[in-house]
Amino acid sequence: MSKKTKATLTKAEKPMSREEQLERENERLRLEVAYLKKLKAFRENPDAFLEKHKQQSPLNSKKKGSD
């Protein structure tokens, strides 16, 4: 078994402290709230949401003539 696999197993087997459990739950809840806010914004106005969050294609982001 490799060192990386052993380290993963021992870390997974180690029980989390109450503080660690609460920190993990807190982070999960933060992510959930952020997701729900985005979902609400999308439902209220899908076109504006999509325009605001449009991702540029890597091909489009290169400036022409910058060689």
Side-chain angles (χ1 to χ4, degrees):
M1 207 179 265
S2 70
K3 290 181 183 180
K4 187 175 183 179
T5 307
K6 286 181 183 178
T8 305
L9 288 177
T10 52
K11 189 173 184 180
E13 292 171 1
K14 179 183 172 189
M16 290 190 292
S17 70
R18 179 70 176 144
E19 183 179 358
E20 290 171 327
Q21 290 173 347
L22 291 172
E23 286 176 357
R24 187 172 182 176
E25 182 181 7
N26 193 14
E27 180 62 22
R28 185 188 62 79
L29 291 171
R30 283 186 186 143
L31 292 171
E32 185 177 348
V33 167
Y35 170 79
L36 292 172
K37 284 181 179 179
K38 288 181 180 184
L39 180 61
K40 181 181 177 185
F42 175 74
R43 285 185 174 172
E44 288 176 354
N45 193 346
D47 295 330
F49 181 86
L50 292 173
E51 186 63 32
K52 181 178 179 182
H53 293 86
K54 185 184 284 185
Q55 293 181 354
Q56 289 185 345
S57 167
L59 297 175
N60 294 338
S61 63
K62 292 182 182 177
K63 291 183 180 179
K64 295 180 180 178
S66 62
D67 295 341

